[in-house]
Amino acid sequence: MSPQRVVIGIDSSTQSSKALAVDVDTGAILGEGRAAHVVSSGAGRQSDPEQWWQALCVAVEGTGHAAAAQAVSVGGQQHGLVTLDADGAPVRPALLWNDVRSAGQAASLAAKYGADELARRTGSVPTAAFTIAKWMWLREHEPAAAARVAAVRLPHDYLTERLTGEAVTDRGDASGTGWWTPEGYDTELLRGAELDPAMLPRVVSGLAGTVRAGGPLAEGTKVASGTGDNMAAALGLGVRPGTPVLSLGTSGTVYAVSRARPQDPTGIVAGFADALGNWLPLACTLNCTQAVDKIAELLGRDREAVEPGGEAVVLPFLDGERTPNLPHAAGLLYGLRHDTTAGQLLQAAYDGTAAALLGALDDVLRAGGEQPDPDVPLLLIGGGARGTAWRETIRRLSGRPVLVPAAAELVALGAAAQAAALVTGEAPDEVSRRWGTAQGELLDPLPRDVETVERIAATLPRAEPLFTAP
Ligand SMILES: Nc1ncnc2c1ncn2[C@@H]1O[C@H](COP(=O)(O)OP(=O)(O)O)[C@@H](O)[C@H]1O
Ligand SMILES: O=C(CO)[C@@H](O)[C@H](O)COP(=O)(O)O
């Protein structure tokens, strides 16, 4: 019998690091580790990159297979601005994807270059989430810190560099910066943002380097390029173009792999690259599982204790919002009556959250050149996909069949597939398909609850004046 071949895939997401040790030949999960991250509250959202590295080490050790792993790869939360000084130490905490303080800088980019032009060049009209807006915010608000910056990284680049010593990124995560184009970094946009391209990592695919001494893994272990967490989940599912995916995590995302390059000038759909040679049109909400959990907590109810009926509408924009692009919004409850129950209010929070994502689903497919087909199952992933109330809400508001993969950690699995590809020579998405990672429970379609969808859609424009900048 040939010896077992093991790889480790890591998901460094907003709330935590998760690592899976996976058998390369069978896809069996041999061990799992995790460690929580601290995210700042109040004005802005920040995390200390050093803390991600410590969490990665704990999670990798928690798999119980760190020493045996033949290869490793990191999927990470997208867009975050990691700034390093000349010694490679963080200049300040990373500005995260859900920090909306950079909304003004995103708006000024659109005003300067035009939304059409930005979408044509970079695939996306940047919102506050994009790294370029964060860099501009830093230069404006903390010039002394910006002046000390010698290198700019994304979260997964930073971790790959801690593992290997190599300053590298991949096309998928790079496509969320706002300065990447398929031909390379956009030097004009970088000049406008006063960022020296020499401070950016090289874009690689496949092998990023090997593990250097001092971390949780054996020296010389192969390290794959890694990618952004949504690109990693797409790889982890092995999805083919046109299959829609909806992810319920800290962020809500809806996306599909496409062969055509998306360039949506409305800004609803971000025109990301996937981690291979295709594209990943994606819409993202800032408020997803945590907003619903917060409302359940305020109501003093278990997150599953929903009740049908009533006419309440919750626009769950607790952190401001990105889809729709309302960075200055706050949460709103409308339609309260004497007979509204707490369970109905909680259901309204699920509905408002899901409607924002599902409303962008067809836009995502069309941006990638696909015709939406309501009979194609929607793949439902992320922590929220474990919950019955979430599943039923998505079924009812989408009217589609919903497939919930049995595998829970698809970002870590996608990273593991990248690592396994280095061992076997296969393409990472072929590895995932061989592992059968998308298999799971297929839930039949429910009749679409058009009344609720329309009630939410009608409330938003009426509330919009409340959501503009004070
Ligand atoms: N059984 C469950 N039912 C509903 N929601 C859940 C369940 N387990 C976890 N969650 C939600 O999943 C979220 C974490 O999702 P995850 O995809 O791991 O997040 P991240 O975006 O940080 O990777 C938590 O905020 C929690 O609300
Ligand atoms: O900003 C986006 C996508 O554009 C987010 O999806 C981040 O990538 C964070 O992901 P999670 O921590 O929620 O997985």
Side-chain angles (χ1 to χ4, degrees):
M1 217 172 75
S2 43
Q4 190 173 45
R5 302 189 290 178
V6 182
V7 289
I8 291 181
I10 298 155
D11 172 9
S12 176
S13 63
T14 314
Q15 293 185 58
S16 62
S17 290
K18 307 155 213 177
L20 296 181
V22 184
D23 183 315
V24 172
D25 296 293
T26 66
I29 293 169
L30 307 170
E32 202 168 340
R34 74 169 54 218
H37 300 163
V38 177
V39 179
S40 72
S41 53
R45 293 284 177 276
Q46 309 190 144
S47 282
D48 174 13
E50 175 62 31
Q51 162 215 183
W52 297 334
W53 170 246
Q54 298 302 335
L56 178 147
C57 294
V58 170
V60 165
E61 269 155 15
T63 66
H65 289 267
Q70 285 181 264
V72 60
S73 187
V74 184
Q77 55 173 309
Q78 289 183 245
H79 309 295
L81 177 74
V82 180
T83 47
L84 306 177
D85 66 16
D87 299 322
V91 168
R92 69 182 307 294
L95 293 163
L96 304 189
W97 61 278
N98 52 354
D99 189 324
V100 292
R101 286 176 295 177
S102 34
Q105 286 70 27
S108 75
L109 274 168
K112 179 171 173 187
Y113 296 97
D116 288 286
E117 176 66 4
L118 290 170
R120 192 186 63 72
R121 283 159 81 149
T122 68
S124 305
V125 184
T127 61
F130 281 62
T131 329
I132 189 167
K134 300 193 181 298
W135 170 254
M136 290 166 67
W137 182 90
L138 189 71
R139 281 194 53 84
E140 239 174 279
H141 292 266
E142 298 181 12
R148 288 206 298 120
V149 175
V152 165
R153 302 286 181 263
L154 291 165
H156 110 262
D157 311 343
Y158 171 74
L159 293 167
T160 305
E161 192 167 354
R162 287 294 294 257
L163 285 166
T164 62
E166 301 289 339
V168 290
T169 189
D170 89 299
R171 72 191 290 274
D173 214 3
S175 68
T177 55
W179 54 61
W180 180 87
T181 79
E183 288 76 43
Y185 292 132
D186 189 316
T187 46
E188 189 193 338
L189 289 176
L190 287 170
R191 207 170 23 254
E194 298 182 66
L195 177 58
D196 180 354
M199 291 206 251
L200 299 177
R202 275 181 304 120
V203 182
V204 299
S205 67
L207 184 71
T210 56
V211 169
R212 55 184 180 176
L217 293 142
E219 196 177 344
T221 306
K222 288 178 179 164
V223 182
S225 67
T227 191
D229 55 2
N230 290 294
M231 295 78 195
L235 272 187
L237 289 162
V239 280
R240 296 189 191 275
T243 302
V245 182
L246 194 142
S247 173
L248 301 167
T250 313
S251 62
T253 58
V254 59
Y255 55 87
V257 170
S258 72
R259 289 191 193 88
R261 182 175 179 235
Q263 300 177 44
D264 173 20
T266 72
I268 293 172
V269 181
F272 297 143
D274 78 349
L276 300 170
N278 283 318
W279 303 96
L280 198 75
L282 177 149
C284 173
T285 58
L286 295 188
N287 299 282
C288 192
T289 53
Q290 286 191 313
V292 170
D293 284 355
K294 177 69 191 180
I295 290 168
E297 183 195 319
L298 290 173
L299 292 167
R301 295 179 83 79
D302 183 89
R303 60 156 80 100
E304 294 292 355
V306 290
E307 287 165 351
E311 291 182 359
V313 170
V314 171
L315 299 179
F317 307 149
L318 275 58
D319 278 327
E321 193 36 76
R322 170 165 157 194
T323 309
N325 190 15
L326 296 167
H328 306 290
L332 185 92
L333 166 60
Y334 176 72
L336 201 57
R337 299 285 181 196
H338 278 289
D339 57 0
T340 309
T341 67
Q344 288 170 345
L345 281 188
L346 182 55
Q347 182 60 64
Y350 279 98
D351 289 350
T353 309
L357 276 172
L358 289 170
L361 172 59
D362 288 355
D363 295 327
V364 161
L365 289 165
R366 287 201 187 95
E370 298 287 337
Q371 233 359 76
D373 178 351
D375 296 330
V376 174
L378 184 57
L379 288 173
L380 190 64
I381 65 167
R386 306 286 120 209
T388 306
W390 271 118
R391 291 180 187 190
E392 293 308 303
T393 303
I394 299 298
R395 285 175 82 193
R396 186 170 49 78
L397 297 191
S398 71
R400 279 179 178 263
V402 171
L403 175 60
V404 187
E409 299 299 347
L410 285 148
V411 176
L413 268 176
Q418 286 185 311
L422 293 182
V423 176
T424 67
E426 295 162 284
D429 57 335
E430 280 168 19
V431 173
S432 300
R433 289 197 280 272
R434 178 166 62 73
W435 287 348
T437 45
Q439 286 164 17
E441 192 181 354
L442 181 62
L443 307 170
D444 291 334
L446 293 176
R448 187 155 176 265
D449 181 354
V450 179
E451 198 185 316
T452 298
V453 173
E454 286 179 351
R455 193 167 54 243
I456 295 166
T459 306
L460 183 61
R462 295 164 74 192
E464 234 158 333
L466 291 172
F467 295 155
T468 47

